[in-house]
Coordinates of all heavy atoms in Angstrom, one line a residue:
M26 N -9.4 86.8 -105.9 CA -9.9 85.6 -105.2 C -11.4 85.2 -105.5 O -12.1 84.7 -104.7 CB -9.7 85.9 -103.6 CG -8.3 86.0 -103.2 SD -7.3 84.6 -103.6 CE -7.7 83.5 -102.2
K27 N -11.9 85.7 -106.6 CA -13.3 85.4 -106.9 C -13.6 84.0 -107.2 O -14.5 83.5 -106.7 CB -13.7 86.3 -108.2 CG -13.8 87.8 -107.9 CD -15.2 88.1 -107.4 CE -15.4 89.7 -107.4 NZ -15.7 90.3 -106.2
I28 N -12.6 83.4 -107.9 CA -13.0 82.1 -108.4 C -13.0 81.1 -107.2 O -14.0 80.3 -107.2 CB -11.9 81.6 -109.5 CG1 -12.2 82.4 -110.7 CG2 -12.0 80.1 -109.8 CD1 -11.1 82.2 -111.8
P29 N -12.1 81.1 -106.3 CA -12.3 80.1 -105.2 C -13.5 80.3 -104.4 O -14.2 79.3 -104.0 CB -11.0 80.5 -104.3 CG -10.0 81.0 -105.3 CD -10.9 81.7 -106.3
Q30 N -14.0 81.5 -104.2 CA -15.2 81.8 -103.5 C -16.4 81.1 -104.3 O -17.3 80.5 -103.7 CB -15.5 83.2 -103.3 CG -14.6 83.8 -102.2 CD -14.8 85.2 -102.0 OE1 -15.4 85.9 -102.7 NE2 -14.1 85.8 -101.0
I31 N -16.4 81.3 -105.6 CA -17.5 80.7 -106.4 C -17.5 79.2 -106.3 O -18.5 78.5 -106.1 CB -17.3 81.2 -107.9 CG1 -17.7 82.6 -108.0 CG2 -18.2 80.3 -108.8 CD1 -17.3 83.3 -109.3
L32 N -16.2 78.6 -106.3 CA -16.2 77.1 -106.2 C -16.7 76.6 -104.9 O -17.4 75.7 -104.8 CB -14.7 76.7 -106.4 CG -14.1 76.7 -107.8 CD1 -12.7 76.4 -107.8 CD2 -15.0 75.8 -108.7
L33 N -16.3 77.4 -103.8 CA -16.7 77.0 -102.4 C -18.3 77.1 -102.4 O -18.9 76.1 -101.9 CB -16.2 78.0 -101.5 CG -16.5 77.7 -100.0 CD1 -16.1 76.3 -99.6 CD2 -15.9 78.7 -99.1
A34 N -18.8 78.1 -102.9 CA -20.3 78.2 -103.0 C -20.9 77.1 -103.6 O -21.9 76.5 -103.2 CB -20.7 79.6 -103.6
A35 N -20.3 76.6 -104.7 CA -20.9 75.6 -105.5 C -20.8 74.2 -104.7 O -21.7 73.5 -104.7 CB -20.1 75.4 -106.9
V36 N -19.7 74.0 -104.0 CA -19.5 72.8 -103.3 C -20.5 72.8 -102.1 O -21.2 71.8 -101.9 CB -18.1 72.8 -102.6 CG1 -18.0 71.7 -101.6 CG2 -17.1 72.5 -103.7
L37 N -20.7 73.9 -101.4 CA -21.7 74.0 -100.3 C -23.1 73.8 -100.9 O -23.9 73.0 -100.2 CB -21.7 75.4 -99.6 CG -20.4 75.6 -98.8 CD1 -20.4 77.1 -98.4 CD2 -20.3 74.7 -97.7
A38 N -23.4 74.4 -102.0 CA -24.8 74.1 -102.6 C -25.0 72.6 -102.9 O -26.0 72.1 -102.7 CB -25.0 75.0 -103.8
G39 N -24.0 72.0 -103.5 CA -24.1 70.6 -103.8 C -24.2 69.7 -102.6 O -25.1 68.9 -102.5
T40 N -23.5 70.1 -101.5 CA -23.6 69.4 -100.2 C -25.0 69.4 -99.7 O -25.6 68.4 -99.3 CB -22.7 69.9 -99.2 OG1 -21.3 69.8 -99.7 CG2 -22.7 69.1 -97.9
S41 N -25.6 70.6 -99.6 CA -26.9 70.7 -99.0 C -28.0 70.0 -99.9 O -28.9 69.4 -99.3 CB -27.3 72.2 -98.7 OG -27.2 72.9 -99.9
A42 N -27.8 70.1 -101.2 CA -28.8 69.3 -102.0 C -28.7 67.9 -101.7 O -29.8 67.2 -101.7 CB -28.5 69.7 -103.5
A43 N -27.5 67.4 -101.5 CA -27.4 65.9 -101.3 C -28.0 65.6 -99.9 O -28.7 64.6 -99.8 CB -25.9 65.5 -101.2
A44 N -27.8 66.5 -99.0 CA -28.4 66.3 -97.6 C -30.0 66.2 -97.7 O -30.6 65.4 -97.1 CB -27.9 67.3 -96.6
L45 N -30.5 67.2 -98.5 CA -31.9 67.2 -98.6 C -32.5 65.9 -99.3 O -33.4 65.4 -98.9 CB -32.3 68.4 -99.4 CG -32.3 69.8 -98.7 CD1 -32.5 71.0 -99.7 CD2 -33.3 69.8 -97.5
A46 N -31.8 65.5 -100.3 CA -32.2 64.3 -101.0 C -32.2 63.1 -100.0 O -33.1 62.3 -100.1 CB -31.2 64.0 -102.1
Q47 N -31.2 63.0 -99.1 CA -31.2 61.9 -98.2 C -32.4 62.0 -97.3 O -33.1 61.0 -96.9 CB -29.9 62.0 -97.4 CG -28.7 61.3 -98.2 CD -27.5 61.3 -97.3 OE1 -27.5 61.8 -96.2 NE2 -26.5 60.7 -97.9
H48 N -32.7 63.3 -96.8 CA -33.8 63.4 -95.8 C -35.2 63.1 -96.4 O -36.1 62.7 -95.7 CB -33.8 64.8 -95.3 CG -32.7 64.9 -94.2 ND1 -32.9 64.4 -92.9 CD2 -31.6 65.5 -94.1 CE1 -31.8 64.7 -92.2 NE2 -31.0 65.4 -92.9
S49 N -35.3 63.2 -97.7 CA -36.6 62.9 -98.4 C -36.6 61.4 -98.9 O -37.4 61.1 -99.7 CB -36.9 63.8 -99.6 OG -35.8 63.7 -100.5
G50 N -35.7 60.6 -98.4 CA -35.6 59.2 -98.8 C -36.6 58.3 -98.2 O -37.7 58.7 -97.8
H51 N -36.3 57.0 -98.2 CA -37.3 56.0 -97.8 C -37.2 55.5 -96.4 O -37.5 54.4 -96.1 CB -37.1 54.9 -98.8 CG -37.3 55.2 -100.1 ND1 -36.3 55.5 -101.0 CD2 -38.5 55.5 -100.9 CE1 -36.8 55.8 -102.2 NE2 -38.1 55.8 -102.2
H52 N -36.7 56.3 -95.5 CA -36.4 55.9 -94.1 C -37.1 56.8 -93.1 O -36.4 57.4 -92.3 CB -34.9 55.7 -93.8 CG -34.2 54.8 -94.8 ND1 -34.4 53.5 -94.8 CD2 -33.4 55.1 -95.9 CE1 -33.7 52.9 -95.8 NE2 -33.1 53.9 -96.5
P53 N -38.4 56.9 -93.2 CA -39.0 57.8 -92.3 C -38.9 57.4 -90.8 O -39.0 58.3 -89.9 CB -40.5 57.7 -92.7 CG -40.6 56.4 -93.3 CD -39.3 56.2 -94.0
A54 N -38.7 56.1 -90.5 CA -38.7 55.7 -89.1 C -37.2 55.6 -88.5 O -37.1 55.0 -87.5 CB -39.4 54.3 -89.0
A55 N -36.3 56.1 -89.3 CA -34.9 56.1 -88.8 C -34.8 56.7 -87.5 O -35.2 57.9 -87.3 CB -34.0 56.7 -89.8
P56 N -34.2 56.0 -86.4 CA -34.2 56.6 -85.1 C -33.1 57.8 -85.0 O -32.2 57.7 -85.9 CB -33.7 55.5 -84.3 CG -33.0 54.5 -85.2 CD -33.7 54.7 -86.5
A57 N -33.4 58.7 -84.2 CA -32.5 59.8 -84.1 C -31.1 59.2 -83.6 O -31.1 58.3 -82.8 CB -33.0 60.8 -83.1
A58 N -30.1 59.8 -84.1 CA -28.7 59.4 -83.8 C -28.5 59.7 -82.3 O -28.7 60.8 -81.8 CB -27.7 60.0 -84.6
A59 N -28.1 58.6 -81.5 CA -27.8 58.8 -80.1 C -26.4 58.5 -79.9 O -25.7 57.7 -80.6 CB -28.8 57.9 -79.2
A60 N -25.8 59.1 -78.9 CA -24.4 58.8 -78.6 C -24.2 57.3 -78.4 O -23.8 56.6 -79.2 CB -23.9 59.7 -77.4
T61 N -24.4 56.9 -77.1 CA -24.2 55.5 -76.7 C -25.4 55.0 -76.0 O -25.7 55.5 -74.9 CB -22.9 55.3 -75.9 OG1 -21.9 55.9 -76.6 CG2 -22.7 53.8 -75.7
Q62 N -26.1 54.1 -76.5 CA -27.3 53.6 -75.8 C -26.9 52.2 -75.3 O -26.5 51.3 -76.1 CB -28.5 53.4 -76.8 CG -29.1 54.7 -77.2 CD -30.2 54.5 -78.2 OE1 -30.0 54.1 -79.4 NE2 -31.5 54.7 -77.8
M63 N -27.1 51.9 -74.0 CA -26.7 50.7 -73.5 C -27.9 49.8 -73.5 O -29.0 50.2 -73.3 CB -26.3 50.8 -72.0 CG -25.1 51.8 -71.8 SD -23.6 51.2 -72.7 CE -23.0 50.0 -71.5
S64 N -27.7 48.5 -73.9 CA -28.8 47.6 -74.0 C -28.5 46.4 -72.9 O -27.4 46.3 -72.5 CB -28.8 46.9 -75.4 OG -29.1 47.9 -76.3
D65 N -29.6 45.7 -72.6 CA -29.4 44.6 -71.7 C -29.1 43.3 -72.4 O -29.5 43.1 -73.6 CB -30.7 44.3 -71.0 CG -31.1 45.5 -70.1 OD1 -30.3 46.0 -69.4 OD2 -32.2 46.0 -70.2
G66 N -28.3 42.5 -71.9 CA -27.9 41.2 -72.4 C -27.6 40.1 -71.4 O -27.3 40.5 -70.2
E67 N -27.5 38.9 -71.9 CA -27.0 37.8 -71.0 C -26.0 37.0 -71.9 O -26.4 36.6 -73.0 CB -28.1 37.0 -70.5 CG -27.8 35.9 -69.5 CD -29.1 35.1 -69.1 OE1 -30.1 35.7 -68.8 OE2 -28.9 33.9 -69.1
I68 N -24.9 36.7 -71.3 CA -23.8 36.0 -72.1 C -24.1 34.5 -72.2 O -24.4 33.8 -71.2 CB -22.4 36.2 -71.4 CG1 -22.1 37.7 -71.4 CG2 -21.4 35.4 -72.1 CD1 -20.8 38.0 -70.6
R69 N -24.2 34.1 -73.4 CA -24.4 32.6 -73.7 C -23.1 32.0 -74.1 O -23.0 30.7 -73.9 CB -25.5 32.5 -74.9 CG -26.8 32.9 -74.5 CD -27.2 32.0 -73.3 NE -28.4 32.5 -72.5 CZ -29.6 32.2 -72.8 NH1 -29.9 31.4 -73.8 NH2 -30.6 32.7 -72.0
R70 N -22.1 32.7 -74.6 CA -20.9 32.1 -75.0 C -19.9 33.3 -75.1 O -20.3 34.4 -75.5 CB -21.0 31.4 -76.4 CG -20.1 30.2 -76.6 CD -20.3 29.6 -77.9 NE -21.7 29.1 -78.2 CZ -22.2 29.0 -79.4 NH1 -21.5 29.3 -80.5 NH2 -23.4 28.5 -79.5
I71 N -18.7 33.0 -74.8 CA -17.7 34.1 -74.9 C -16.4 33.5 -75.3 O -16.0 32.5 -74.7 CB -17.7 35.0 -73.7 CG1 -16.7 36.2 -73.9 CG2 -17.3 34.2 -72.4 CD1 -16.9 37.3 -72.9
D72 N -15.7 34.0 -76.3 CA -14.4 33.6 -76.7 C -13.4 34.7 -76.8 O -13.5 35.4 -77.8 CB -14.5 32.8 -78.0 CG -13.2 32.1 -78.5 OD1 -12.1 32.6 -78.1 OD2 -13.3 31.1 -79.2
L73 N -12.6 34.9 -75.8 CA -11.8 36.1 -75.8 C -10.6 36.0 -76.9 O -10.1 37.0 -77.4 CB -11.2 36.3 -74.4 CG -12.2 36.7 -73.3 CD1 -11.5 36.8 -72.0 CD2 -13.0 37.8 -73.6
E74 N -10.2 34.8 -77.1 CA -9.2 34.7 -78.2 C -9.7 35.0 -79.6 O -9.0 35.7 -80.3 CB -8.6 33.2 -78.2 CG -7.7 32.9 -77.1 CD -7.1 31.5 -77.2 OE1 -7.0 31.0 -78.3 OE2 -6.6 30.9 -76.1
K75 N -10.9 34.6 -79.9 CA -11.5 35.0 -81.2 C -12.1 36.4 -81.1 O -12.4 37.0 -82.1 CB -12.6 34.0 -81.6 CG -12.0 32.7 -82.0 CD -13.1 31.8 -82.6 CE -12.7 30.4 -82.9 NZ -13.8 29.4 -82.9
G76 N -12.3 36.9 -79.8 CA -13.0 38.1 -79.7 C -14.4 38.1 -80.2 O -14.9 39.1 -80.7
T77 N -15.1 37.0 -79.8 CA -16.5 36.9 -80.2 C -17.4 36.7 -78.8 O -16.8 36.1 -77.9 CB -16.8 35.8 -81.1 OG1 -16.3 34.6 -80.5 CG2 -16.1 36.0 -82.4
I78 N -18.6 37.1 -78.9 CA -19.5 36.9 -77.8 C -20.9 36.6 -78.4 O -21.3 37.2 -79.3 CB -19.5 38.1 -76.9 CG1 -20.3 37.8 -75.6 CG2 -20.1 39.3 -77.6 CD1 -20.0 38.8 -74.5
L79 N -21.6 35.6 -77.7 CA -23.0 35.3 -78.1 C -23.8 35.9 -77.0 O -23.7 35.5 -75.8 CB -23.1 33.8 -78.2 CG -24.5 33.3 -78.6 CD1 -24.8 33.7 -80.2 CD2 -24.7 31.8 -78.5
L80 N -24.7 36.8 -77.3 CA -25.5 37.5 -76.4 C -27.0 37.2 -76.6 O -27.5 37.3 -77.8 CB -25.3 39.0 -76.4 CG -24.0 39.5 -75.8 CD1 -23.9 41.0 -76.2 CD2 -23.9 39.3 -74.4
K81 N -27.7 36.9 -75.5 CA -29.2 37.0 -75.6 C -29.5 38.4 -75.2 O -29.2 38.8 -74.1 CB -29.8 36.0 -74.6 CG -31.3 36.0 -74.5 CD -31.8 35.1 -73.4 CE -33.3 35.2 -73.4 NZ -33.9 34.5 -72.2
H82 N -30.0 39.2 -76.2 CA -30.1 40.6 -75.8 C -31.6 41.1 -75.9 O -32.4 40.5 -76.7 CB -29.2 41.4 -76.7 CG -29.6 41.4 -78.2 ND1 -30.6 42.2 -78.7 CD2 -29.0 40.8 -79.3 CE1 -30.7 42.0 -80.0 NE2 -29.7 41.2 -80.4
G83 N -31.8 42.2 -75.2 CA -33.1 42.9 -75.4 C -33.0 43.9 -76.6 O -32.1 43.7 -77.4
D84 N -33.9 44.8 -76.6 CA -33.9 45.8 -77.7 C -32.5 46.5 -77.9 O -32.0 46.9 -76.8 CB -35.0 46.7 -77.4 CG -36.4 46.3 -77.7 OD1 -36.5 45.1 -78.3 OD2 -37.4 46.9 -77.3
I85 N -32.1 46.7 -79.1 CA -31.0 47.6 -79.4 C -31.5 48.7 -80.3 O -31.5 48.6 -81.5 CB -29.8 46.8 -80.0 CG1 -29.5 45.5 -79.2 CG2 -28.6 47.7 -80.2 CD1 -28.4 44.7 -79.8
P86 N -32.0 49.8 -79.7 CA -32.7 50.8 -80.5 C -31.8 51.4 -81.6 O -32.3 51.7 -82.7 CB -33.1 51.9 -79.4 CG -33.1 51.2 -78.1 CD -32.0 50.1 -78.3
N87 N -30.5 51.6 -81.3 CA -29.7 52.3 -82.3 C -29.4 51.3 -83.5 O -29.0 51.8 -84.5 CB -28.4 52.7 -81.7 CG -27.5 51.6 -81.0 OD1 -28.0 50.9 -80.2 ND2 -26.3 51.5 -81.5
L88 N -29.6 50.1 -83.4 CA -29.6 49.1 -84.5 C -30.9 48.7 -85.0 O -31.0 48.0 -86.0 CB -28.7 47.9 -84.1 CG -27.3 48.1 -83.7 CD1 -26.7 46.7 -83.3 CD2 -26.5 48.7 -84.9
G89 N -32.0 49.3 -84.5 CA -33.4 48.9 -85.0 C -33.6 47.4 -84.7 O -34.3 46.8 -85.6
M90 N -33.1 46.9 -83.7 CA -33.1 45.4 -83.4 C -33.9 45.1 -82.2 O -33.8 45.7 -81.2 CB -31.7 44.9 -83.2 CG -31.5 43.4 -83.5 SD -29.8 43.0 -83.3 CE -29.1 43.4 -84.9
G91 N -34.8 44.1 -82.3 CA -35.6 43.6 -81.2 C -34.8 42.6 -80.4 O -33.6 42.4 -80.7
A92 N -35.4 41.9 -79.5 CA -34.7 40.9 -78.7 C -34.4 39.7 -79.5 O -35.3 39.2 -80.2 CB -35.6 40.6 -77.4
M93 N -33.3 39.1 -79.2 CA -32.8 37.9 -79.8 C -31.6 37.4 -79.2 O -30.9 38.1 -78.4 CB -32.7 38.0 -81.4 CG -31.5 38.9 -81.7 SD -31.3 39.2 -83.5 CE -32.5 40.6 -83.7
T94 N -31.1 36.2 -79.7 CA -29.7 35.7 -79.3 C -28.9 35.7 -80.6 O -29.3 35.2 -81.6 CB -29.9 34.3 -78.7 OG1 -30.7 34.4 -77.6 CG2 -28.5 33.8 -78.4
M95 N -27.8 36.4 -80.5 CA -26.9 36.5 -81.7 C -25.4 36.7 -81.3 O -25.2 37.1 -80.2 CB -27.4 37.6 -82.5 CG -27.3 38.9 -81.9 SD -27.9 40.2 -82.9 CE -26.5 40.5 -84.0
G96 N -24.6 36.6 -82.2 CA -23.1 36.8 -82.0 C -22.7 38.2 -82.4 O -23.3 38.8 -83.3
F97 N -21.7 38.6 -81.7 CA -21.1 40.0 -82.0 C -19.6 39.7 -81.9 O -19.0 38.9 -81.3 CB -21.4 40.9 -80.8 CG -22.9 41.4 -80.8 CD1 -23.7 40.6 -80.0 CD2 -23.3 42.5 -81.4 CE1 -25.1 41.0 -80.0 CE2 -24.6 42.8 -81.3 CZ -25.5 42.0 -80.5
K98 N -18.9 40.7 -82.5 CA -17.4 40.9 -82.3 C -17.2 41.8 -81.1 O -18.0 42.7 -80.8 CB -16.9 41.6 -83.5 CG -16.4 40.6 -84.6 CD -15.1 40.0 -84.3 CE -14.5 39.3 -85.5 NZ -13.4 38.5 -85.2
L99 N -16.2 41.5 -80.4 CA -15.9 42.4 -79.2 C -14.8 43.4 -79.7 O -13.7 42.9 -80.2 CB -15.2 41.5 -78.1 CG -16.3 40.7 -77.2 CD1 -15.5 39.7 -76.4 CD2 -17.1 41.6 -76.4
K100 N -15.1 44.6 -79.5 CA -14.1 45.6 -79.9 C -12.8 45.5 -79.1 O -11.7 45.7 -79.6 CB -14.7 47.0 -79.7 CG -13.8 48.2 -80.2 CD -14.4 49.6 -80.0 CE -13.6 50.7 -80.6 NZ -14.2 51.9 -80.3
D101 N -13.0 45.3 -77.8 CA -11.9 45.2 -76.8 C -12.0 43.9 -76.0 O -12.6 43.9 -74.9 CB -11.8 46.4 -76.0 CG -10.6 46.4 -75.1 OD1 -9.7 45.5 -75.2 OD2 -10.5 47.3 -74.3
P102 N -11.5 42.7 -76.5 CA -11.7 41.5 -75.8 C -11.1 41.5 -74.3 O -11.7 41.0 -73.4 CB -11.0 40.5 -76.6 CG -11.0 41.0 -78.0 CD -10.9 42.5 -77.8
A103 N -10.0 42.3 -74.2 CA -9.4 42.3 -72.8 C -10.3 43.0 -71.8 O -10.2 42.6 -70.7 CB -8.1 43.1 -73.0
A104 N -11.2 43.9 -72.3 CA -12.1 44.5 -71.4 C -13.2 43.6 -70.9 O -13.9 44.0 -70.0 CB -12.7 45.8 -72.0
A105 N -13.3 42.4 -71.6 CA -14.4 41.5 -71.2 C -13.8 40.3 -70.5 O -14.5 39.3 -70.3 CB -15.2 41.1 -72.5
R106 N -12.6 40.4 -70.0 CA -11.9 39.2 -69.5 C -12.5 38.7 -68.2 O -12.4 37.5 -67.8 CB -10.4 39.4 -69.3 CG -10.1 40.5 -68.3 CD -8.5 40.7 -68.3 NE -8.1 41.8 -67.4 CZ -8.3 43.1 -67.7 NH1 -8.7 43.5 -68.9 NH2 -7.9 44.0 -66.9
D107 N -13.2 39.6 -67.4 CA -13.8 39.2 -66.2 C -15.3 38.7 -66.3 O -15.9 38.3 -65.4 CB -13.8 40.3 -65.2 CG -12.4 40.7 -64.8 OD1 -11.5 39.8 -64.8 OD2 -12.2 41.9 -64.5
L108 N -15.8 38.6 -67.6 CA -17.1 38.2 -67.9 C -17.2 36.7 -68.1 O -16.3 36.2 -68.7 CB -17.7 39.0 -69.0 CG -17.8 40.6 -68.8 CD1 -18.2 41.2 -70.1 CD2 -18.7 40.9 -67.7
K109 N -18.3 36.1 -67.8 CA -18.4 34.7 -68.1 C -19.9 34.4 -68.5 O -20.8 35.2 -68.3 CB -18.0 33.9 -66.9 CG -18.9 34.2 -65.6 CD -18.3 33.5 -64.4 CE -19.3 33.6 -63.2 NZ -19.7 35.0 -62.9
V110 N -20.0 33.1 -69.0 CA -21.3 32.7 -69.5 C -22.3 32.8 -68.3 O -22.0 32.4 -67.2 CB -21.2 31.2 -70.0 CG1 -22.6 30.6 -70.2 CG2 -20.4 31.2 -71.3
G111 N -23.4 33.3 -68.6 CA -24.6 33.5 -67.6 C -24.6 34.8 -67.0 O -25.6 35.2 -66.4
D112 N -23.5 35.6 -67.2 CA -23.5 37.0 -66.6 C -24.5 37.8 -67.3 O -24.7 37.8 -68.6 CB -22.2 37.7 -66.7 CG -21.1 37.2 -65.8 OD1 -21.5 36.5 -64.8 OD2 -19.9 37.6 -65.9
R113 N -25.3 38.6 -66.6 CA -26.1 39.7 -67.1 C -25.3 40.9 -67.3 O -24.5 41.3 -66.5 CB -27.3 40.0 -66.2 CG -28.3 38.9 -66.1 CD -29.5 39.2 -65.2 NE -30.4 38.1 -65.2 CZ -31.4 37.9 -66.1 NH1 -31.5 38.8 -67.1 NH2 -32.2 36.9 -66.1
V114 N -25.4 41.5 -68.5 CA -24.5 42.6 -68.9 C -25.3 43.8 -69.4 O -26.5 43.7 -69.9 CB -23.5 42.2 -69.9 CG1 -22.5 41.2 -69.3 CG2 -24.1 41.7 -71.2
K115 N -24.7 44.9 -69.4 CA -25.1 46.1 -70.1 C -24.1 46.3 -71.2 O -22.9 46.2 -70.9 CB -25.2 47.4 -69.2 CG -26.2 47.4 -68.2 CD -27.6 47.8 -68.6 CE -28.6 48.0 -67.6 NZ -30.0 48.3 -68.1
F116 N -24.6 46.5 -72.4 CA -23.6 46.7 -73.5 C -24.1 47.7 -74.6 O -25.3 48.0 -74.6 CB -23.3 45.3 -74.2 CG -24.5 44.8 -75.0 CD1 -24.4 44.9 -76.4 CD2 -25.5 44.2 -74.4 CE1 -25.5 44.5 -77.2 CE2 -26.6 43.7 -75.2 CZ -26.6 43.9 -76.6
A117 N -23.1 48.2 -75.3 CA -23.4 49.0 -76.4 C -22.9 48.4 -77.7 O -21.8 47.8 -77.7 CB -22.8 50.4 -76.2
A118 N -23.7 48.3 -78.8 CA -23.3 47.8 -80.0 C -23.5 48.7 -81.2 O -24.3 49.6 -81.1 CB -24.0 46.5 -80.3
E119 N -22.6 48.6 -82.2 CA -22.8 49.4 -83.4 C -22.4 48.6 -84.6 O -21.6 47.5 -84.5 CB -22.0 50.7 -83.3 CG -20.5 50.5 -83.2 CD -19.8 51.8 -82.9 OE1 -20.2 52.6 -82.1 OE2 -18.9 52.1 -83.7
Q120 N -22.9 48.9 -85.7 CA -22.6 48.3 -87.0 C -21.4 48.9 -87.7 O -21.5 50.1 -87.9 CB -23.9 48.2 -87.8 CG -23.7 47.3 -89.1 CD -25.0 46.9 -89.7 OE1 -26.1 47.4 -89.3 NE2 -24.9 46.1 -90.7
Q121 N -20.5 48.1 -88.1 CA -19.4 48.6 -88.9 C -19.3 47.8 -90.2 O -18.8 46.6 -90.1 CB -18.1 48.7 -88.2 CG -18.1 49.6 -87.0 CD -16.8 49.6 -86.2 OE1 -15.8 49.1 -86.5 NE2 -16.9 50.4 -85.1
G122 N -19.8 48.3 -91.2 CA -20.0 47.5 -92.4 C -21.0 46.3 -92.2 O -22.1 46.6 -91.8
E123 N -20.5 45.1 -92.5 CA -21.4 43.9 -92.3 C -21.3 43.3 -90.8 O -22.0 42.5 -90.5 CB -20.9 42.8 -93.2 CG -21.1 43.1 -94.6 CD -22.5 43.1 -95.1 OE1 -23.1 42.1 -95.1 OE2 -23.0 44.3 -95.3
T124 N -20.4 44.0 -90.0 CA -20.1 43.4 -88.7 C -20.7 44.2 -87.6 O -20.7 45.4 -87.6 CB -18.5 43.4 -88.5 OG1 -17.9 42.9 -89.6 CG2 -18.2 42.7 -87.2
L125 N -21.3 43.4 -86.6 CA -21.9 44.1 -85.4 C -20.9 43.9 -84.3 O -20.4 42.8 -84.0 CB -23.2 43.4 -85.1 CG -24.3 43.7 -86.1 CD1 -25.4 42.7 -85.9 CD2 -24.8 45.1 -86.0
I126 N -20.5 45.1 -83.7 CA -19.4 45.1 -82.8 C -20.0 45.6 -81.4 O -20.6 46.6 -81.4 CB -18.3 46.0 -83.3 CG1 -17.8 45.4 -84.6 CG2 -17.2 46.2 -82.2 CD1 -16.7 46.3 -85.2
V127 N -19.6 44.8 -80.3 CA -19.9 45.3 -79.0 C -18.7 46.3 -78.7 O -17.5 45.9 -78.6 CB -19.9 44.2 -78.0 CG1 -19.9 44.7 -76.6 CG2 -21.1 43.3 -78.3
T128 N -19.1 47.6 -78.5 CA -18.1 48.6 -78.2 C -17.9 48.8 -76.7 O -16.8 49.3 -76.4 CB -18.5 49.9 -78.9 OG1 -19.8 50.3 -78.4 CG2 -18.5 49.8 -80.4
Q129 N -18.9 48.5 -75.9 CA -18.8 48.7 -74.5 C -19.5 47.5 -73.9 O -20.6 47.2 -74.4 CB -19.4 49.9 -74.0 CG -18.6 51.2 -74.4 CD -19.4 52.4 -73.8 OE1 -19.7 52.5 -72.6 NE2 -19.7 53.4 -74.7
I130 N -19.0 46.9 -72.8 CA -19.8 45.9 -72.1 C -19.3 45.9 -70.6 O -18.1 46.0 -70.3 CB -19.6 44.5 -72.8 CG1 -20.6 43.4 -72.1 CG2 -18.2 44.1 -72.7 CD1 -20.7 42.2 -73.0
R131 N -20.3 45.7 -69.7 CA -20.0 45.6 -68.3 C -21.0 44.8 -67.7 O -22.2 44.7 -68.2 CB -19.9 47.0 -67.7 CG -21.2 47.8 -67.7 CD -21.0 49.0 -66.8 NE -22.3 49.7 -66.8 CZ -22.6 50.7 -67.5 NH1 -21.8 51.2 -68.4 NH2 -23.8 51.2 -67.5
K132 N -20.7 44.2 -66.5 CA -21.6 43.4 -65.8 C -22.8 44.3 -65.3 O -22.5 45.5 -64.8 CB -20.9 42.8 -64.6 CG -21.1 41.3 -64.5 CD -20.3 40.7 -63.3 CE -21.0 39.4 -62.9 NZ -20.2 38.5 -62.1
A133 N -24.0 43.8 -65.4 CA -25.2 44.6 -65.0 C -25.1 44.7 -63.5 O -24.8 43.7 -62.8 CB -26.4 44.0 -65.4
P134 N -25.5 45.8 -62.9 CA -25.5 46.0 -61.4 C -26.6 45.0 -60.8 O -27.5 44.7 -61.4 CB -25.8 47.4 -61.2 CG -26.3 47.9 -62.5 CD -25.9 47.0 -63.5
Ligands
CU287 CU1 -29.7 40.9 -82.5

């Protein structure tokens, strides 16, 4: 069983080298990964059939985004059925490829 162990060691060495290369890259200000950060928003438009929402939002630290008004996809439109234009909300968003998706949203208390 010598050969598989050597292969495994080579794979592990390659993995850590790649990880080190990433850490010495060009993104010194990348925020620490957080589980779910809720951001503040206000609904400007909502379309449950298309699954889209336009939010005037505050900072979204996990996306490195400041305050603005922009559109998102709703991960679960059914969960937003009680929300309407003008509602203040707490929401979580994440980027999947080119798309920004609201993964959680609820009326702000
Ligand atoms: Cu934005």
Side-chain angles (χ1 to χ4, degrees):
M26 297 301 281
K27 287 273 193 248
I28 289 170
Q30 283 177 355
I31 289 165
L32 286 176
L33 180 60
V36 167
L37 291 173
T40 302
S41 54
L45 284 173
Q47 280 183 353
H48 281 285
S49 59
H51 302 97
H52 303 286
T61 306
Q62 291 176 288
M63 301 300 279
S64 299
D65 297 309
E67 188 181 313
I68 298 175
R69 289 303 164 90
R70 212 181 298 157
I71 183 165
D72 186 329
L73 296 180
E74 282 183 24
K75 288 184 185 160
T77 56
I78 189 166
L79 184 69
L80 287 172
K81 178 185 178 190
H82 69 73
D84 287 347
I85 307 180
N87 58 305
L88 296 179
M90 201 180 275
M93 70 180 82
T94 299
M95 62 181 283
F97 294 86
K98 273 277 191 193
L99 287 165
K100 184 180 183 183
D101 181 8
R106 65 187 177 278
D107 294 332
L108 300 174
K109 60 185 190 306
V110 171
D112 282 350
R113 290 179 178 278
V114 293
K115 293 275 188 190
F116 72 100
E119 62 186 50
Q120 186 161 6
Q121 293 180 8
E123 297 288 293
T124 309
L125 291 165
I126 298 177
V127 169
T128 55
Q129 294 180 52
I130 188 166
R131 62 168 186 265
K132 235 176 155 163

